[in-house]
Short mmCIF file of all heavy atoms in Angstrom, two decimals:
data_model
loop_
_atom_site.label_atom_id
_atom_site.label_comp_id
_atom_site.label_asym_id
_atom_site.label_seq_id
_atom_site.Cartn_x
_atom_site.Cartn_y
_atom_site.Cartn_z
N ASP A 1 -19.61 191.47 58.13
CA ASP A 1 -20.71 191.92 58.99
C ASP A 1 -22.04 191.92 58.23
O ASP A 1 -23.08 191.51 58.76
CB ASP A 1 -20.43 193.32 59.53
CG ASP A 1 -19.26 193.33 60.51
OD1 ASP A 1 -18.94 192.26 61.06
OD2 ASP A 1 -18.66 194.41 60.71
N HIS A 2 -22.01 192.37 56.97
CA HIS A 2 -23.23 192.38 56.15
C HIS A 2 -23.70 190.94 55.88
O HIS A 2 -24.91 190.67 55.91
CB HIS A 2 -22.97 193.08 54.81
CG HIS A 2 -22.99 194.59 54.91
ND1 HIS A 2 -23.93 195.27 55.63
CD2 HIS A 2 -22.18 195.52 54.35
CE1 HIS A 2 -23.71 196.57 55.53
NE2 HIS A 2 -22.65 196.75 54.75
N THR A 3 -22.76 190.05 55.62
CA THR A 3 -23.09 188.65 55.35
C THR A 3 -23.73 188.00 56.57
O THR A 3 -24.74 187.28 56.48
CB THR A 3 -21.85 187.85 54.93
OG1 THR A 3 -21.20 188.50 53.83
CG2 THR A 3 -22.22 186.43 54.51
N LYS A 4 -23.16 188.27 57.73
CA LYS A 4 -23.68 187.73 58.98
C LYS A 4 -25.11 188.23 59.24
O LYS A 4 -26.01 187.45 59.60
CB LYS A 4 -22.75 188.12 60.13
CG LYS A 4 -23.19 187.58 61.48
CD LYS A 4 -22.19 187.99 62.57
CE LYS A 4 -22.63 187.44 63.93
NZ LYS A 4 -21.68 187.87 65.00
N ALA A 5 -25.31 189.54 59.05
CA ALA A 5 -26.63 190.13 59.26
C ALA A 5 -27.64 189.58 58.27
O ALA A 5 -28.82 189.36 58.61
CB ALA A 5 -26.54 191.66 59.14
N PHE A 6 -27.19 189.36 57.03
CA PHE A 6 -28.09 188.80 55.99
C PHE A 6 -28.55 187.40 56.35
O PHE A 6 -29.74 187.06 56.19
CB PHE A 6 -27.37 188.79 54.65
CG PHE A 6 -28.05 187.97 53.59
CD1 PHE A 6 -29.26 188.37 53.04
CD2 PHE A 6 -27.49 186.77 53.15
CE1 PHE A 6 -29.91 187.61 52.08
CE2 PHE A 6 -28.11 186.01 52.18
CZ PHE A 6 -29.32 186.42 51.65
N LEU A 7 -27.66 186.56 56.84
CA LEU A 7 -28.01 185.18 57.22
C LEU A 7 -29.07 185.18 58.31
O LEU A 7 -30.00 184.37 58.29
CB LEU A 7 -26.76 184.43 57.69
CG LEU A 7 -25.78 184.01 56.61
CD1 LEU A 7 -24.50 183.45 57.23
CD2 LEU A 7 -26.39 182.99 55.67
N GLU A 8 -28.94 186.08 59.26
CA GLU A 8 -29.93 186.16 60.35
C GLU A 8 -31.26 186.72 59.84
O GLU A 8 -32.32 186.28 60.27
CB GLU A 8 -29.36 187.03 61.48
CG GLU A 8 -28.15 186.41 62.16
CD GLU A 8 -27.56 187.31 63.22
OE1 GLU A 8 -28.00 188.48 63.32
OE2 GLU A 8 -26.64 186.87 63.94
N TRP A 9 -31.19 187.70 58.93
CA TRP A 9 -32.40 188.35 58.39
C TRP A 9 -33.19 187.42 57.47
O TRP A 9 -34.40 187.29 57.60
CB TRP A 9 -32.02 189.62 57.65
CG TRP A 9 -33.15 190.26 56.91
CD1 TRP A 9 -34.14 191.05 57.43
CD2 TRP A 9 -33.42 190.17 55.49
NE1 TRP A 9 -35.01 191.46 56.44
CE2 TRP A 9 -34.59 190.93 55.24
CE3 TRP A 9 -32.78 189.54 54.43
CZ2 TRP A 9 -35.13 191.07 53.96
CZ3 TRP A 9 -33.31 189.67 53.15
CH2 TRP A 9 -34.48 190.43 52.94
N LYS A 10 -32.48 186.74 56.58
CA LYS A 10 -33.14 185.93 55.56
C LYS A 10 -33.44 184.50 56.03
O LYS A 10 -34.52 183.96 55.79
CB LYS A 10 -32.28 185.89 54.29
CG LYS A 10 -32.83 185.04 53.15
CD LYS A 10 -34.12 185.62 52.61
CE LYS A 10 -34.67 184.76 51.47
NZ LYS A 10 -35.95 185.30 50.96
N TYR A 11 -32.47 183.87 56.68
CA TYR A 11 -32.60 182.45 57.00
C TYR A 11 -32.67 182.15 58.50
O TYR A 11 -32.80 180.98 58.88
CB TYR A 11 -31.41 181.67 56.40
CG TYR A 11 -31.26 181.87 54.91
CD1 TYR A 11 -30.24 182.67 54.40
CD2 TYR A 11 -32.12 181.26 53.99
CE1 TYR A 11 -30.07 182.86 53.04
CE2 TYR A 11 -31.97 181.43 52.63
CZ TYR A 11 -30.95 182.24 52.16
OH TYR A 11 -30.80 182.42 50.81
N GLN A 12 -32.56 183.19 59.34
CA GLN A 12 -32.52 183.01 60.78
C GLN A 12 -31.41 182.03 61.18
O GLN A 12 -31.58 181.14 62.02
CB GLN A 12 -33.87 182.50 61.33
CG GLN A 12 -35.01 183.49 61.22
CD GLN A 12 -35.56 183.61 59.80
OE1 GLN A 12 -35.92 182.58 59.22
NE2 GLN A 12 -35.61 184.80 59.26
N LEU A 13 -30.24 182.18 60.54
CA LEU A 13 -29.10 181.32 60.79
C LEU A 13 -27.92 182.13 61.33
O LEU A 13 -27.75 183.30 60.98
CB LEU A 13 -28.66 180.62 59.49
CG LEU A 13 -29.63 179.61 58.89
CD1 LEU A 13 -29.09 179.12 57.55
CD2 LEU A 13 -29.83 178.42 59.82
N LYS A 14 -27.09 181.48 62.15
CA LYS A 14 -25.87 182.10 62.64
C LYS A 14 -24.72 181.90 61.65
O LYS A 14 -23.75 182.65 61.64
CB LYS A 14 -25.47 181.50 63.99
CG LYS A 14 -26.47 181.77 65.12
CD LYS A 14 -26.53 183.25 65.43
CE LYS A 14 -27.46 183.51 66.62
NZ LYS A 14 -27.57 184.97 66.93
N ASP A 15 -24.86 180.88 60.81
CA ASP A 15 -23.85 180.57 59.78
C ASP A 15 -24.48 179.63 58.77
O ASP A 15 -25.62 179.16 58.97
CB ASP A 15 -22.61 179.94 60.41
CG ASP A 15 -21.34 180.15 59.58
OD1 ASP A 15 -21.46 180.52 58.40
OD2 ASP A 15 -20.23 179.97 60.13
N ILE A 16 -23.78 179.33 57.69
CA ILE A 16 -24.31 178.43 56.67
C ILE A 16 -23.18 177.60 56.08
O ILE A 16 -22.05 178.09 55.91
CB ILE A 16 -25.02 179.23 55.55
CG1 ILE A 16 -25.74 178.28 54.57
CG2 ILE A 16 -24.04 180.14 54.80
CD1 ILE A 16 -26.62 179.02 53.57
N GLU A 17 -23.45 176.33 55.79
CA GLU A 17 -22.45 175.47 55.17
C GLU A 17 -22.13 175.99 53.78
O GLU A 17 -23.02 176.40 53.03
CB GLU A 17 -22.96 174.03 55.08
CG GLU A 17 -23.19 173.38 56.43
CD GLU A 17 -23.77 171.98 56.30
OE1 GLU A 17 -23.72 171.42 55.17
OE2 GLU A 17 -24.30 171.47 57.29
N VAL A 18 -20.85 175.98 53.42
CA VAL A 18 -20.45 176.51 52.11
C VAL A 18 -21.09 175.70 50.98
O VAL A 18 -21.34 176.24 49.89
CB VAL A 18 -18.92 176.54 51.97
CG1 VAL A 18 -18.31 177.50 52.96
CG2 VAL A 18 -18.31 175.15 52.11
N GLN A 19 -21.37 174.41 51.22
CA GLN A 19 -21.98 173.57 50.19
C GLN A 19 -23.39 174.03 49.82
O GLN A 19 -23.91 173.68 48.77
CB GLN A 19 -22.02 172.11 50.65
CG GLN A 19 -20.66 171.46 50.79
CD GLN A 19 -20.75 170.03 51.29
OE1 GLN A 19 -21.83 169.57 51.69
NE2 GLN A 19 -19.64 169.32 51.27
N LYS A 20 -24.00 174.81 50.70
CA LYS A 20 -25.38 175.24 50.47
C LYS A 20 -25.47 176.61 49.79
O LYS A 20 -26.57 177.14 49.60
CB LYS A 20 -26.15 175.28 51.80
CG LYS A 20 -26.32 173.88 52.41
CD LYS A 20 -27.14 173.94 53.69
CE LYS A 20 -27.33 172.54 54.28
NZ LYS A 20 -28.11 172.57 55.54
N LEU A 21 -24.33 177.18 49.41
CA LEU A 21 -24.32 178.45 48.71
C LEU A 21 -24.81 178.25 47.28
O LEU A 21 -24.32 177.38 46.56
CB LEU A 21 -22.92 179.07 48.70
CG LEU A 21 -22.34 179.46 50.06
CD1 LEU A 21 -20.94 180.00 49.90
CD2 LEU A 21 -23.24 180.49 50.75
N THR A 22 -25.76 179.05 46.86
CA THR A 22 -26.36 178.91 45.54
C THR A 22 -26.45 180.27 44.84
O THR A 22 -26.22 181.32 45.45
CB THR A 22 -27.77 178.32 45.63
OG1 THR A 22 -28.60 179.24 46.38
CG2 THR A 22 -27.77 176.97 46.31
N TYR A 23 -26.84 180.23 43.60
CA TYR A 23 -27.07 181.45 42.81
C TYR A 23 -28.17 182.27 43.47
O TYR A 23 -28.06 183.50 43.57
CB TYR A 23 -27.47 181.05 41.39
CG TYR A 23 -27.73 182.21 40.46
CD1 TYR A 23 -26.71 182.73 39.66
CD2 TYR A 23 -28.99 182.79 40.36
CE1 TYR A 23 -26.94 183.80 38.81
CE2 TYR A 23 -29.23 183.86 39.51
CZ TYR A 23 -28.20 184.35 38.74
OH TYR A 23 -28.44 185.41 37.89
N ASN A 24 -29.19 181.61 43.96
CA ASN A 24 -30.29 182.29 44.62
C ASN A 24 -29.83 183.00 45.89
O ASN A 24 -30.32 184.10 46.22
CB ASN A 24 -31.40 181.29 44.96
CG ASN A 24 -32.59 181.97 45.64
OD1 ASN A 24 -32.80 181.85 46.83
ND2 ASN A 24 -33.37 182.71 44.85
N PHE A 25 -28.89 182.41 46.60
CA PHE A 25 -28.31 183.04 47.80
C PHE A 25 -27.72 184.39 47.44
O PHE A 25 -27.91 185.38 48.15
CB PHE A 25 -27.23 182.12 48.38
CG PHE A 25 -26.51 182.70 49.58
CD1 PHE A 25 -26.97 182.46 50.87
CD2 PHE A 25 -25.37 183.48 49.42
CE1 PHE A 25 -26.31 182.99 51.98
CE2 PHE A 25 -24.71 184.01 50.52
CZ PHE A 25 -25.18 183.75 51.80
N LEU A 26 -27.02 184.46 46.30
CA LEU A 26 -26.37 185.70 45.88
C LEU A 26 -27.39 186.75 45.46
O LEU A 26 -27.24 187.94 45.80
CB LEU A 26 -25.42 185.41 44.72
CG LEU A 26 -24.29 184.42 45.01
CD1 LEU A 26 -23.46 184.17 43.76
CD2 LEU A 26 -23.40 184.92 46.15
N THR A 27 -28.43 186.35 44.73
CA THR A 27 -29.45 187.33 44.32
C THR A 27 -30.19 187.89 45.52
O THR A 27 -30.53 189.08 45.55
CB THR A 27 -30.45 186.68 43.34
OG1 THR A 27 -31.08 185.54 43.95
CG2 THR A 27 -29.75 186.24 42.06
N GLU A 28 -30.43 187.04 46.53
CA GLU A 28 -31.10 187.50 47.74
C GLU A 28 -30.18 188.44 48.54
O GLU A 28 -30.64 189.42 49.13
CB GLU A 28 -31.51 186.31 48.61
CG GLU A 28 -32.62 185.45 48.01
CD GLU A 28 -33.96 186.18 47.96
OE1 GLU A 28 -34.13 187.18 48.69
OE2 GLU A 28 -34.82 185.77 47.18
N PHE A 29 -28.89 188.13 48.55
CA PHE A 29 -27.93 188.97 49.26
C PHE A 29 -27.83 190.34 48.57
O PHE A 29 -27.76 191.38 49.23
CB PHE A 29 -26.57 188.28 49.28
CG PHE A 29 -25.53 188.97 50.13
CD1 PHE A 29 -25.87 189.59 51.32
CD2 PHE A 29 -24.20 188.99 49.73
CE1 PHE A 29 -24.91 190.23 52.10
CE2 PHE A 29 -23.23 189.63 50.51
CZ PHE A 29 -23.59 190.23 51.69
N GLU A 30 -27.82 190.33 47.24
CA GLU A 30 -27.79 191.58 46.49
C GLU A 30 -29.02 192.43 46.81
O GLU A 30 -28.92 193.64 47.04
CB GLU A 30 -27.74 191.30 44.99
CG GLU A 30 -27.71 192.56 44.13
CD GLU A 30 -27.70 192.26 42.65
OE1 GLU A 30 -28.13 191.14 42.26
OE2 GLU A 30 -27.29 193.12 41.85
N PHE A 31 -30.18 191.78 46.85
CA PHE A 31 -31.43 192.48 47.19
C PHE A 31 -31.36 193.07 48.60
O PHE A 31 -31.76 194.21 48.84
CB PHE A 31 -32.62 191.52 47.08
CG PHE A 31 -33.90 192.09 47.63
CD1 PHE A 31 -34.64 193.01 46.89
CD2 PHE A 31 -34.37 191.70 48.88
CE1 PHE A 31 -35.82 193.54 47.41
CE2 PHE A 31 -35.54 192.23 49.40
CZ PHE A 31 -36.27 193.16 48.65
N TYR A 32 -30.83 192.29 49.53
CA TYR A 32 -30.71 192.72 50.92
C TYR A 32 -29.83 193.96 51.04
O TYR A 32 -30.17 194.93 51.73
CB TYR A 32 -30.13 191.57 51.76
CG TYR A 32 -29.68 191.98 53.14
CD1 TYR A 32 -30.60 192.16 54.18
CD2 TYR A 32 -28.32 192.20 53.40
CE1 TYR A 32 -30.18 192.54 55.44
CE2 TYR A 32 -27.90 192.58 54.67
CZ TYR A 32 -28.82 192.75 55.68
OH TYR A 32 -28.40 193.13 56.93
N LEU A 33 -28.68 193.96 50.36
CA LEU A 33 -27.76 195.08 50.44
C LEU A 33 -28.38 196.36 49.91
O LEU A 33 -28.21 197.44 50.47
CB LEU A 33 -26.48 194.76 49.66
CG LEU A 33 -25.56 193.70 50.28
CD1 LEU A 33 -24.44 193.34 49.31
CD2 LEU A 33 -24.97 194.19 51.60
N LYS A 34 -29.14 196.24 48.82
CA LYS A 34 -29.73 197.42 48.19
C LYS A 34 -30.98 197.91 48.93
O LYS A 34 -31.18 199.11 49.10
CB LYS A 34 -30.07 197.11 46.73
CG LYS A 34 -28.85 196.95 45.83
CD LYS A 34 -29.25 196.68 44.39
CE LYS A 34 -28.03 196.59 43.49
NZ LYS A 34 -28.39 196.32 42.09
N SER A 35 -31.80 196.97 49.38
CA SER A 35 -33.08 197.36 49.98
C SER A 35 -32.99 197.62 51.48
O SER A 35 -33.56 198.61 51.98
CB SER A 35 -34.13 196.26 49.73
OG SER A 35 -33.75 195.05 50.37
N LYS A 36 -32.27 196.79 52.20
CA LYS A 36 -32.21 196.92 53.66
C LYS A 36 -31.03 197.77 54.14
O LYS A 36 -31.16 198.55 55.08
CB LYS A 36 -32.15 195.53 54.33
CG LYS A 36 -33.34 194.64 53.99
CD LYS A 36 -34.65 195.28 54.45
CE LYS A 36 -35.85 194.41 54.07
NZ LYS A 36 -37.12 195.06 54.49
N GLN A 37 -29.88 197.59 53.47
CA GLN A 37 -28.69 198.37 53.86
C GLN A 37 -28.55 199.67 53.07
O GLN A 37 -27.65 200.46 53.34
CB GLN A 37 -27.43 197.51 53.68
CG GLN A 37 -27.36 196.30 54.59
CD GLN A 37 -27.33 196.68 56.06
OE1 GLN A 37 -26.83 197.73 56.43
NE2 GLN A 37 -27.88 195.81 56.90
N LYS A 38 -29.43 199.87 52.09
CA LYS A 38 -29.46 201.10 51.28
C LYS A 38 -28.12 201.36 50.57
O LYS A 38 -27.68 202.52 50.42
CB LYS A 38 -29.80 202.31 52.15
CG LYS A 38 -31.09 202.16 52.95
CD LYS A 38 -32.29 201.88 52.05
CE LYS A 38 -33.56 201.71 52.86
NZ LYS A 38 -34.74 201.36 52.02
N CYS A 39 -27.45 200.29 50.14
CA CYS A 39 -26.20 200.43 49.40
C CYS A 39 -26.51 200.76 47.93
O CYS A 39 -27.46 200.20 47.37
CB CYS A 39 -25.38 199.15 49.45
SG CYS A 39 -24.87 198.65 51.10
N ASN A 40 -25.73 201.64 47.32
CA ASN A 40 -25.93 201.89 45.89
C ASN A 40 -25.39 200.71 45.09
O ASN A 40 -24.79 199.78 45.65
CB ASN A 40 -25.28 203.21 45.46
CG ASN A 40 -23.77 203.22 45.61
OD1 ASN A 40 -23.10 202.20 45.42
ND2 ASN A 40 -23.21 204.37 45.98
N HIS A 41 -25.60 200.74 43.80
CA HIS A 41 -25.27 199.57 42.96
C HIS A 41 -23.79 199.22 43.03
O HIS A 41 -23.43 198.06 43.25
CB HIS A 41 -25.66 199.85 41.50
CG HIS A 41 -25.29 198.74 40.56
ND1 HIS A 41 -26.03 197.57 40.47
CD2 HIS A 41 -24.23 198.60 39.71
CE1 HIS A 41 -25.44 196.76 39.58
NE2 HIS A 41 -24.37 197.37 39.11
N ASN A 42 -22.91 200.21 42.85
CA ASN A 42 -21.48 199.93 42.82
C ASN A 42 -20.95 199.45 44.17
O ASN A 42 -20.07 198.58 44.23
CB ASN A 42 -20.71 201.17 42.37
CG ASN A 42 -20.85 201.41 40.87
OD1 ASN A 42 -21.50 200.65 40.16
ND2 ASN A 42 -20.27 202.48 40.39
N THR A 43 -21.48 200.00 45.25
CA THR A 43 -21.07 199.55 46.59
C THR A 43 -21.51 198.10 46.81
O THR A 43 -20.76 197.28 47.36
CB THR A 43 -21.68 200.44 47.67
OG1 THR A 43 -21.24 201.79 47.48
CG2 THR A 43 -21.26 199.98 49.07
N THR A 44 -22.71 197.78 46.35
CA THR A 44 -23.20 196.40 46.44
C THR A 44 -22.29 195.44 45.69
O THR A 44 -21.95 194.36 46.20
CB THR A 44 -24.64 196.30 45.86
OG1 THR A 44 -25.51 197.13 46.63
CG2 THR A 44 -25.14 194.87 45.87
N ILE A 45 -21.87 195.83 44.49
CA ILE A 45 -20.99 194.99 43.68
C ILE A 45 -19.65 194.80 44.38
O ILE A 45 -19.05 193.71 44.33
CB ILE A 45 -20.78 195.59 42.28
CG1 ILE A 45 -22.11 195.61 41.52
CG2 ILE A 45 -19.74 194.82 41.50
CD1 ILE A 45 -22.76 194.25 41.34
N LYS A 46 -19.15 195.82 45.07
CA LYS A 46 -17.89 195.70 45.78
C LYS A 46 -18.01 194.65 46.90
O LYS A 46 -17.10 193.83 47.10
CB LYS A 46 -17.49 197.04 46.40
CG LYS A 46 -16.98 198.05 45.37
CD LYS A 46 -16.61 199.37 46.04
CE LYS A 46 -16.15 200.39 45.00
NZ LYS A 46 -15.84 201.70 45.64
N TYR A 47 -19.12 194.67 47.63
CA TYR A 47 -19.32 193.69 48.70
C TYR A 47 -19.44 192.27 48.11
O TYR A 47 -18.88 191.31 48.67
CB TYR A 47 -20.57 194.02 49.52
CG TYR A 47 -20.43 195.25 50.39
CD1 TYR A 47 -21.46 196.18 50.50
CD2 TYR A 47 -19.27 195.48 51.12
CE1 TYR A 47 -21.34 197.31 51.30
CE2 TYR A 47 -19.13 196.59 51.93
CZ TYR A 47 -20.17 197.51 52.00
OH TYR A 47 -20.04 198.62 52.81
N LEU A 48 -20.14 192.16 47.01
CA LEU A 48 -20.28 190.85 46.36
C LEU A 48 -18.94 190.35 45.83
O LEU A 48 -18.66 189.16 45.85
CB LEU A 48 -21.30 190.93 45.23
CG LEU A 48 -22.77 191.01 45.67
CD1 LEU A 48 -23.66 191.43 44.52
CD2 LEU A 48 -23.23 189.65 46.23
#
């Protein structure tokens, strides 16, 4: 659910091809979880 919401928030996408997953995608997802979803560090790491 968090991944789906992140794709819509960051890229305005309903889904993304796995070939397009990058290191930057992960750093942006980490930022999203901490800043928008207010997850603490350890909870963020669990989702990642």
Side-chain angles (χ1 to χ4, degrees):
D1 292 339
H2 281 316
T3 306
K4 182 179 180 181
F6 167 69
L7 286 172
E8 294 177 353
W9 172 79
K10 178 65 180 178
Y11 304 105
Q12 293 76 54
L13 293 175
K14 295 295 183 181
D15 205 344
I16 188 172
E17 295 177 16
V18 296
Q19 293 178 351
K20 294 183 179 179
L21 296 178
T22 62
Y23 181 92
N24 181 254
F25 177 91
L26 300 177
T27 58
E28 292 292 341
F29 188 36
E30 180 182 22
F31 170 78
Y32 167 79
L33 290 172
K34 290 181 177 180
S35 63
K36 300 300 178 181
Q37 295 298 330
K38 307 302 179 184
C39 299
N40 64 35
H41 177 78
N42 285 359
T43 301
T44 298
I45 295 302
K46 286 180 183 178
Y47 289 138
L48 286 166

